[in-house]
Amino acid sequence: MEAERSPEAYEEVDAVPVLAEDPGELAPSPSGPGAGLVVAKQAAAVAATSFAAGVATVAVVRGARAVRARRRARGRGRGQQMAPVLGTRSFLIDVHLLGSRD
């Protein structure tokens, strides 16, 4: 078990935010001849990473589809092959339900 601590061991804090004396001290803004270059490098890095992620996603999806197609083709055994299709015809059927003439 932990030893009990006396109340004097804890520090009481009022939790009031303290503002910096110099506002530029908190977040220096990039300035000078290389400032635009830093932003351009970051933008290029984000674009390249996004492109690479997209390429990887497409490759994974294509690979999964190829595996499924191979499994489907393998599932049809030699004895289960369907008859060869010689031709197909498509017909448009229009059905009307008529009421009585009364």
Side-chain angles (χ1 to χ4, degrees):
M1 270 181 112
E2 290 185 30
E4 293 184 28
R5 296 185 182 182
S6 65
E8 293 86 26
Y10 296 104
E11 179 184 356
E12 187 174 324
V13 181
D14 59 358
V16 176
V18 179
L19 299 177
E21 293 177 14
D22 182 17
E25 185 179 320
L26 296 177
S29 62
S31 60
L37 185 60
V38 172
V39 174
K41 284 182 181 179
Q42 288 176 347
V46 169
T49 305
S50 299
F51 179 76
V55 168
T57 303
V58 169
V60 167
V61 169
R62 283 188 180 177
R65 285 183 182 168
V67 168
R68 268 189 264 139
R70 270 190 253 128
R71 284 182 185 166
R72 219 177 296 133
R74 211 181 304 151
R76 297 181 199 150
R78 293 178 193 254
Q80 294 179 354
Q81 284 185 345
M82 298 178 6
V85 177
L86 301 177
T88 60
R89 303 286 187 269
S90 296
F91 298 98
L92 176 65
I93 299 173
D94 195 359
V95 177
H96 296 274
L97 299 176
L98 303 175
S100 64
R101 293 185 181 206
D102 297 342

